[in-house]
Amino acid sequence: MTVKDIFETMEYGPAPESSAEALAWLADRGGIAGPYVNGKWGPLRDDMSIHNPATGERLAGMTKSTPEDVGAAVKAARKAQPAWAKLGGHGRARILYAIARLIQKHSRLLAVIETLDNGKPIRESRDIDVPLAARHFYFHAGLAQLLETEKPNHEPIGVCGQIIPWNFPLLMLAWKIAPALAAGNTVVLKPAEYTSLSAMVFAEICTQAGVPPGVVNIITGDGDTGAALVASDVDKIAFTGSTAVGRLIREATAGRHIALTLELGGKSPYIVFDDADLDSAVEGLVDAIWFNQGQVCCAGSRLLVQETIAEDFHARLRRRMDGLRIGDPLDKCIDVGAIVDPVQLKTITDLVDAHPEGDHHVAATPLPATGCFYPPTLITGLSPASPLMQTEIFGPVLVGTTFRTPAEAVELANNTRYGLAATVWSENINLALDIAPKLTAGVVWVNGTNMFDAAAPFGGVRESGFGREGGWVGLSAYLKPKTTGKTLKPIAPHSGSGGHDGLDRTAKLYIGGKQARPDGGYSREVYSPKGALLGHASLANRKDVRNAVEAAAAAKGWGKTTGHLRAQILYYIAENLSARAGEFANRIKDMTGKDGNKEVEASINTLFTYAAWADKYDGAAHGVPIRGVALAMREPVGIIGALCADDAPLAGLIGAMAPAIAMGNRTVLIGSEAYPLAATDLYQVLETSDVPAGVVNILTGSHAELAPTLAAHLNIDAVWSFSSTDLSETIEKASSGNLKRTWVNNGKSRDWTNPDADSFLPAATETKSIWIPYGE
Amino acid sequence: MHTQTPTKSDTAQLPQLHLPRNDGMELDMDWVARVQANTSAIERRAATLPGRRSVKKQFQAAWLCKAISCIDLTTLAGDDTAARVQRLCAKARQPVSPELLDALGMTGLTVGAVCVYHDMVETAVAALDGSGIPVAAVSTGFPAGLSPFHLRVQEIKESVAAGAKEIDIVISRRHVLSGNWQALYDEMRAFREACGEAHVKAILATGELGTLRNVARASLICMMAGADFIKTSTGKESVNATLPVTLTMIRAIRDFEARTGIKVGYKPAGGISKAKDAITYLAMMKDELGDRWLQPDLFRFGASSLLGDIERQLEHHVTGAYSAGWRHALA
């Protein structure tokens, strides 16, 4: 075309970034992506092929690491870990800083390789992925520097197996490796099968930065390799990927005393109120669902628009979609690149084709003739029941419906198994700041979307996984307390044959603020160590668990109460317990044979501790690089089921209950199996202490029998186990149903005279990051 | 659309009269009250646009030629003289050296208009005779707009009588800042009426309106009152044309078209001095409003030094060597 022709048509024309340097880089290294273990490459085998999804061309071969290769990498990491931890925070900070600088120095190579491999637009890899990856290492260099003074009671977990997805290969690598290294762990990281090339560049950066051999190990391969890593001798698995695979990993790691964090899928709501800046909200959707071709776990993929503006908004949106430019990802003038692989393209195509309901608008913009491309698509007029409103599509497909009121918007937004992110558009600060905390999500963006920073924790609730990445909260997922308990011996109930002294007293269950007979109609005798009959305790069954959870669910207002109110109630419990201290001490003595006074005092101290924390476990305002603020709000986890300690029948129950309810959770507590009567005696204390019905529910019975029901219950958000019966594997495995958080003792004891707020408060809360850009 | 041909002056730049003019509409305060402009989001869009759009090689050359065709070559200085304006008009006729234009296949390219104060209108009209390049006059007590109202109206009439085809009026910022929307509407109406056949560009002086929301409101009201163009700045405010302000104003233009079917033009003015900036502005117009707004009857740059940078870039395109300022004729 001549200048004159273009002067008339005003087309953009091609603006390609060169791939020559990147391809030469690959060729110089033999054109094979393979393991980087103990600071060395290999074995390099052409087991698999890596393709450019935009063209279908082969970019490189790849080693499919065998379980032996994986074992060698884990061994190298194990060997390197003590010295890496011993290097100290400052020593590690220097190396993380060097990595950050080297990422910047090789920024264009990384960006081009990422785009060739993944198909994302060069603008995104250049302006978003690579700078955020560098930022992550800078930030964590700082955390490493401060670690010893800020977290003196913690130490690294050990060897971390890390499995990352193909949508942000370098960025997810950074999110995984930076905190692990900062905390003193060593890693074995498996990049995704489709996208292993930027990890090769990163491996070279590690060598240049002076990362000691074995501290960072990278193993290439497919799902089998990942499974081998999960099965290997690691101390932690950190996974980002699909909910289905996350569930398999949860099951595979159950009972192995392995720390686990999962960052999984989402179907994040994008809510537009009628007072929003509609054009800006439309533009936000470009960043929400057409960023990285919609292959983003936190993509705003579920559009909820207020009815009054829906027609106008959809018209503006369709017009904007028609202006999106799709094409060669290396072109600096395109908005939407290639889908990562033909397999993913088929998944998207099949899902959309299978559900013709709703109004489909396909962007009126030309698609390249070849390569893996899917057009930006909007499907409106759906109902919450439509499968496309519930299923994660992981592609450039936006689905939507309308709402009438703010309350309905929240209800629709939360009508999902996921809980990763949410977006709210409104110019009304009252509305926006009212809605944000009500959304079930780990991240909420107000008048913006897909904003990320190393300082602001990112992660989900519900089936979007657990654990946070970023900030001190994210770092804590790579640390453990220095102290560990002793091995717990299972405590069996005492036996005996004596009859009852005095008037018979029946200990029922405590459900919904009332004492209830057990559904099964069974009780068992409770004897003293010398065989005297102390009373009868009910044997709860699965239906009692169901009833208790229903009562807890009905008490949802508890999470919205003020910390001040919750503190008052905890103090009141302490007051009423104190008034009956002697009676409780005697009961403990009768059941255990040990002096009970200390345990009662410890329980009162614990109640005071969490009453104190109830209005003091503050969130944070993170310094993120925008004009605005990223709030980290502490929210209750929801309904927590806890198998309470057998050895400390009162302090163990209070020790779990107090932090949970102080943070606004509702609880289903299973009292000590061997010594249940301290728990049942507590009913009257709770009844006289203004604890709202359903906030605390107490069952007694067999831990082994009740644990699977608790762990599998889909309306329980977390299960804790301090039982002397080691139920860790049972609980972790059964928890995969709704991917509830678990906190198990792995058969270790705990000192119940220490409230241990360091451990309990994080377990009793979720961190929600709320991004609020501002400026007029 | 057919625009420039080198030989016929009557097909030249502006205004292209085949679009219906904006006759305006009743003041619709409900609409004005609904206007929202989220500053952070608008700034984000503006900040990422240059990274999303890029034109290279002959495309870049063509876009820069387009930018030239949309320039209101301007002199608004207290020391303007007839000779100074005549020089400017000569540059308007031949904005780029004939050799470069020949090499680009763009012989005959001129700027969009020449913009001067009232006293220079006759000089400019005479100097541009036969070129088809219209003369625009800044008016209504430019730049502050604080002279007596009847004199401001009279100034328009005299500039039109002197041969100005376009009148760049300034709004009374105090009407916006005091929320007197009716007064703003009435003033704009009066100015439009005084212009008669001449096209009217409403200068909002966005740097003095305080908020983007005010920019959006003022944009809408001026369009309701019959502005043919809305324009950012006089060039005399401390903040002149910016991308966020542009986005706010052209989104208002888009809304106005969606509601009335009428296309209103846009003119950023002040502070646009680099070829790269000009391309970003054109890309924003293309992406937000569409290709139709890339013609000089709907888009102008108010600029004085932009042309020099474009000339250097065009020479680089033709020769492959980076250029020097002194190789290109002064205005």
Side-chain angles (χ1 to χ4, degrees), chain A residues 1-4 6-16 123-124 126-127 274-281 283 286-287 316 319-320 323-325 331-335 425-427 446-449 451 627 773-776, chain B residues 1-4 36-45 48 51-56 58-59 61-63 65-66 69 104-106 109 210-213 251 254-255 257 282-284 286-291 293-295 317:
Chain A
M1 285 174 90
T2 67
V3 170
K4 181 81 185 168
I6 302 164
F7 183 84
E8 299 299 337
T9 63
M10 287 297 284
E11 288 176 17
Y12 280 113
R123 176 192 78 89
E124 294 178 11
R126 180 195 66 202
D127 294 350
D274 62 1
D275 61 356
D277 174 354
L278 298 189
D279 288 316
S280 289
E283 197 57 44
V286 175
D287 294 329
R316 289 171 197 253
R319 175 183 171 137
R320 181 68 185 91
L324 291 170
R325 290 170 53 78
D331 193 311
K332 288 176 270 192
C333 194
I334 61 127
D335 299 302
W425 285 86
S426 167
E427 290 301 302
V446 174
N447 292 330
T449 203
M451 290 178 272
R627 186 186 60 222
Y774 48 69
E776 178 66 60
Chain B
M1 154 174 4
H2 194 76
T3 51
Q4 285 90 4
Q36 300 288 9
N38 186 287
T39 302
S40 289
I42 288 167
E43 286 173 352
R44 272 198 303 279
R45 166 70 169 147
T48 57
R52 288 179 184 270
R53 292 293 178 259
S54 178
V55 282
K56 298 294 177 196
Q58 74 270 32
F59 289 88
W63 278 55
C65 289
K66 179 62 74 178
S69 76
L104 292 164
M106 291 299 298
L109 179 69
T211 66
L212 289 181
R213 216 178 298 262
R251 283 174 172 174
R254 190 168 67 200
D255 271 1
E257 192 210 9
L282 287 169
M284 185 173 269
K286 181 177 169 75
D287 277 22
E288 291 282 333
L289 289 178
D291 289 348
W293 267 269
L294 297 177
Q295 303 301 337
H317 173 74

Side-chain angles (χ1 to χ4, degrees), chain A residues 469-512:
Chain A
E469 296 182 297
W472 284 106
V473 176
L475 188 73
S476 67
Y478 287 92
L479 292 166
K480 62 177 185 186
K482 281 181 178 165
T483 52
T484 50
K486 296 185 191 117
T487 301
L488 266 175
K489 285 194 188 123
I491 300 175
H494 300 299
S495 53
S497 58
H500 209 282
D501 266 355
L503 188 62
D504 182 82
R505 231 177 112 192
T506 310
K508 297 180 190 165
L509 306 174
Y510 187 63
I511 296 175

Side-chain angles (χ1 to χ4, degrees), chain B residues 129-183:
Chain B
D129 183 39
S131 69
I133 302 171
V135 172
V138 296
S139 193
T140 66
F142 182 95
L146 288 165
S147 47
F149 179 71
H150 71 276
L151 294 182
R152 284 184 270 146
V153 173
Q154 189 58 31
E155 187 182 4
I156 293 173
K157 289 179 177 163
E158 293 192 16
S159 291
V160 173
K165 296 282 184 249
E166 303 174 11
I167 303 293
D168 291 18
I169 63 99
V170 292
I171 65 163
S172 295
R173 280 74 110 182
R174 60 191 179 280
H175 292 334
V176 176
L177 296 172
S178 59
N180 196 347
W181 307 114
Q182 184 69 50

